[in-house]
Amino acid sequence: MSTLTITPLEFGTGQVFWSMLWFFCFFIWIWLLIRVFSDIFRSHDMSGWAKALWIIFVIVLPYLGVLVYLIARGKEMTQHSLDDARAMDTAQRQYIQSVAGSGGGGSTADEIARLADLRDKGVIDETEFQAGKAKALAGS
């Protein structure tokens, strides 16, 4: 009967470094592929055929395809990212303004009605209601 002995893996100093370096390079490669594919799909300045050809090029010759895409369309990638950031910022600002209101632009009656609704729901008590009502009346 033979016994099975399991020996622990022994990494040298350089092996750990190279393993981490290869993992890091692999992670960057996956990130680049995702960025290139997402830019191809969100490009409004390319036709469907151009998008299909870029995708085929990147799939068939991945390293060369990504490198050529980054060289040929790097500025457009940056512009698409900036446009998306501006659109998200605008949408966020509009949402915040719609939720927060215009910072007191509503009428005094609207503010008192909102406070009364909060009081009726039990969110605030009578003293908070009176304090808010006094503040709304003082601000008008």
Side-chain angles (χ1 to χ4, degrees):
M1 182 176 229
S2 65
T3 59
L4 179 64
T5 58
I6 300 174
T7 59
L9 295 174
E10 294 182 20
F11 285 106
T13 306
Q15 290 173 333
V16 172
F17 172 74
W18 283 112
S19 296
M20 290 176 63
L21 183 67
W22 280 112
F23 177 76
F24 182 70
C25 289
F26 180 72
F27 181 77
I28 288 175
W29 171 246
I30 296 297
W31 177 75
L32 276 174
L33 281 175
I34 291 170
R35 290 279 303 188
V36 166
F37 277 121
S38 66
D39 188 68
I40 290 171
F41 283 113
R42 73 178 172 188
S43 292
H44 298 293
D45 56 337
M46 283 196 299
S47 68
W49 287 106
K51 290 179 183 182
L53 290 174
W54 273 114
I55 289 172
I56 290 169
F57 186 42
V58 170
I59 289 174
V60 173
L61 298 168
Y63 293 107
L64 183 62
V66 167
L67 183 64
V68 170
Y69 189 84
L70 290 174
I71 292 170
R73 297 193 43 92
K75 289 183 181 179
E76 286 85 0
M77 283 181 74
T78 303
Q79 190 60 43
H80 293 152
S81 295
L82 290 173
D83 292 343
D84 286 348
R86 282 189 199 109
M88 288 174 56
D89 184 55
T90 302
Q92 182 181 14
R93 287 178 187 273
Q94 288 174 348
Y95 173 74
I96 290 171
Q97 287 177 353
S98 72
V99 171
S102 59
S107 69
T108 304
D110 291 338
E111 182 67 21
I112 293 173
R114 187 181 66 80
L115 288 169
D117 185 44
L118 289 174
R119 180 191 58 194
D120 295 341
K121 290 180 180 177
V123 176
I124 61 174
D125 60 8
E126 185 63 31
T127 57
E128 291 172 324
F129 170 75
Q130 292 301 329
K133 180 178 168 184
K135 183 178 176 184
L137 290 172
S140 61

